[in-house]
Amino acid sequence: MGANEAIGAAAGEAAAPTPAPPGRRWFLEGVAADGSHTVHEVAVVPFRVGREATNELALQAPGMSRQHAVIVATEDGRLRLTDLGSTNGTYVNRVRLAAARVLEENDVIHFGNAEFRLGVLGDSSLPTTLTGGDRTMIAPAGAVLSGHFVPHEKQLRELLAGTGLGGAVQPIVRAQGGERFALELLGRSSHPDLPASPVHLFALAARMGREAELSTAFRNHGVRTVAQLAPGTTLFVNTHPQETFDPAFLEALSKLPHEGLDVDLVIEVHETAVMEVERMRELAARLADLKVRFAYDDFGAGQARLNELAEVPAHFVKFDFGLVHGLHEASTAKQKLVADLVRMVKGLGSMALAEGVETDAEAEVCRQIGFDLLQGYLTGRPAPLDSLRGG
């Protein structure tokens, strides 16, 4: 069979469309020019997409070929997408198709610049009364694909519900003596379809507006695991800036003691929160009622607002990696600046913690300067939560 014949067969030119096989009902969700969502049910197969009016989904959009792509059914009731040699390509989850691909629910599909998300109906009704029509799709010209929908939304929802939640812990040690003082909890994922790195996971969550939920999920999972494996541990836990002053955050913290969790929590608050003095004062009082200590994180990464810090002193101040890294090779002026900051922080009653300590030379300077606590690869790399078993 020649290339043109293969394309024609894939496009369904040899056979008229027939009803989609019984079972799941699939639909393509798009965004119209006015911002409203459009829904196109894949009610027949082959389901052809392109500029020509004879296609099951006809799109007058920039970058659309006359016959752009086709969707057919597989034997097990799923859908398979094939690009029909279009000029601007067909993409699934932002990867251009080089061959036919079986689709999954929530896949994000671009036909050229026209963006859709594949959905499956849970009942007999479409998610909206709008089922296509002559509405113009949002399809900006140019090489950059639009981003109305987010790949891996389903997988992130699964993670938030508990599937694949994991974590790691990194030791925090006393500067003098080196014994372990606490652990910091770090979120991780073992979901097979998601990256393990929290940086990438929070970037995905940001596109969905669910960063606070991800932070909460990591924290709850980690606290419960550490309480089970290493009861009595002092545990530093991160918060996302969006949840710092959220009443739901404090409500969730208030429930932990009732679960019998034996963990001494230290809540890490980003240094920028110190500038909201009244809200920070209220938060500190609520945390004190819960017998939860707090730390200012990333101190020195931006403006070191010592006046505001003095208004609501923290139990701990974590000096940013940028101030600590290479401190043994820094100028005398920089070393003096850091030493002055450490002295002022300790004068407020806070313990000074140096983050990112990687060498013996850095650690020695930190001790001389007066840091109380050290954290970094020198004193211990992050280890899976399971490493706490038996010790």
Side-chain angles (χ1 to χ4, degrees), residues 219-277:
R219 185 170 54 251
N220 289 345
H221 172 78
V223 168
R224 291 183 174 93
T225 303
V226 172
Q228 177 186 1
L229 298 180
T233 297
T234 297
L235 187 65
F236 283 61
V237 296
N238 291 283
T239 59
H240 190 275
Q242 287 188 358
E243 62 180 334
T244 303
F245 302 115
D246 188 344
F249 165 61
L250 287 169
E251 182 180 352
L253 283 182
S254 68
K255 295 177 180 178
L256 292 177
H258 302 294
E259 298 183 29
L261 302 179
D262 182 14
V263 176
D264 178 18
L265 284 182
V266 178
I267 299 298
E268 295 192 19
V269 178
H270 194 271
E271 185 225 4
T272 54
V274 75
M275 292 183 285
E276 300 190 54
V277 173

Side-chain angles (χ1 to χ4, degrees), residues 186-222:
L186 306 167
R188 296 289 188 271
S189 164
S190 61
H191 193 292
D193 298 320
L194 290 172
S197 164
V199 174
H200 295 97
L201 290 169
F202 274 103
L204 173 60
R207 296 185 63 189
M208 298 170 59
R210 306 188 75 166
E211 304 101 301
E213 291 178 64
L214 181 59
S215 177
T216 299
F218 277 141
R219 185 170 54 251
N220 289 345
H221 172 78

